[in-house]
Amino acid sequence: MPRKRRSAVLAICALALAAAPRAAAQILEGAAKRPTVRAYVSAGIGYSDLQSVSDPGSGSVWVFSPGAQYRASLEIPAGRGLDVGVSGTWARMPLGYATGLGDNESVACCLDAHATVSTLMATVHSGASARRGFYSVLDIGVGILRFANFSADDGGDALPPRSNMDFIFGIGGGAGYAFSSTLSATVVQDVGLSLHERGDLSNEVRTSVRHQTTRLGVRYGFATRTRRSSR
């Protein structure tokens, strides 16, 4: 082998041997540690709209207008890309409060009022990304819906009922964008259905109530680094 070629080969080998320990250390370090998310928390705000509610207990109809809804959740990874947990929402909704329901189904409309509408639901969440980029989101929930704190806008007088709770279930779909393996932003369209008591209402009166919410949220995962085998 010519002397010049032999010298070049020896130089390349020397550089490779010098760089090998550092490269090996980086590979082993990357393989030894990886983030493992233990829990996710999320917070968001949405634009919520729900149908009117006929309440036999108070003899009133609540004609809701859209309003802002706030949401928070806590979820634990359950494997196979699913997270299970709980979510809660809160909204102070404007409404027209109509009285006289049950009196031959004639209703005197309407008193401007506000009421608190909140939910507490068990949830299943699908959608997470270990890499930066877009991903799909699916949320399913079932739980309790609570109406409370009815008050007239003029004067602030309390209106019946004091509170009322219904069963609710819902599903939401949308998209997320992962900034990292632990931080992402989401936009989701939720559709829910709650069931109000019928009481002595006539059969023509609807007791199911549809809820629609478009929400923006931020999701953060609390992660620890766990070691794994380099094999």
Side-chain angles (χ1 to χ4, degrees):
M1 179 182 293
R3 181 178 297 179
K4 290 184 178 180
R5 182 177 298 177
R6 182 170 57 188
S7 299
V9 171
L10 291 175
I12 293 173
C13 291
L15 291 174
L17 289 173
R22 180 178 297 179
Q26 292 176 346
I27 293 172
L28 290 174
E29 182 180 357
K33 294 183 178 181
R34 62 178 178 179
T36 299
V37 176
R38 302 298 184 184
Y40 290 99
V41 294
S42 65
I45 184 171
Y47 181 78
S48 182
D49 189 14
L50 62 153
Q51 292 179 319
S52 60
V53 180
S54 299
D55 181 55
S58 62
S60 59
V61 177
W62 314 328
V63 185
F64 285 97
S65 296
Q69 181 192 79
Y70 303 92
R71 184 182 188 274
S73 68
L74 172 65
E75 295 158 343
I76 306 297
R80 298 183 179 275
L82 298 178
D83 308 312
V84 296
V86 294
S87 70
T89 65
W90 184 93
R92 186 67 177 166
M93 301 288 288
L95 69 142
Y97 186 93
T99 59
L101 180 65
D103 183 14
N104 295 324
E105 306 300 340
S106 62
V107 176
C109 193
C110 282
L111 180 66
D112 288 337
H114 276 73
T116 299
V117 182
S118 56
T119 67
L120 182 63
M121 304 176 73
T123 60
V124 176
H125 173 89
S126 173
S129 177
R131 300 178 180 179
R132 184 173 179 176
F134 289 97
Y135 61 93
S136 60
V137 174
L138 177 65
D139 287 321
I140 300 173
V142 58
I144 298 297
L145 167 73
R146 183 173 183 260
F147 300 101
N149 302 321
F150 289 83
S151 62
D153 290 351
D154 186 10
D157 294 335
L159 301 170
R162 184 174 181 180
S163 67
N164 187 283
M165 289 194 295
D166 294 336
F167 171 80
I168 185 172
F169 60 92
I171 185 170
Y177 183 86
F179 301 99
S180 68
S181 60
T182 57
L183 179 63
S184 62
T186 58
V187 55
V188 177
Q189 175 71 53
D190 290 318
V191 178
L193 190 70
S194 64
L195 304 176
H196 203 69
E197 66 267 22
R198 176 166 296 279
D200 58 356
L201 299 178
S202 66
N203 294 336
E204 291 81 9
V205 178
R206 171 181 45 80
T207 58
S208 60
V209 180
R210 188 177 68 251
H211 304 248
Q212 290 183 316
T213 304
T214 302
R215 55 181 167 91
L216 302 174
V218 176
R219 195 166 188 257
Y220 180 78
F222 290 94
T224 58
R225 292 192 174 272
T226 58
R227 293 185 177 274
R228 64 179 179 180
S229 173
S230 60
R231 294 180 182 179

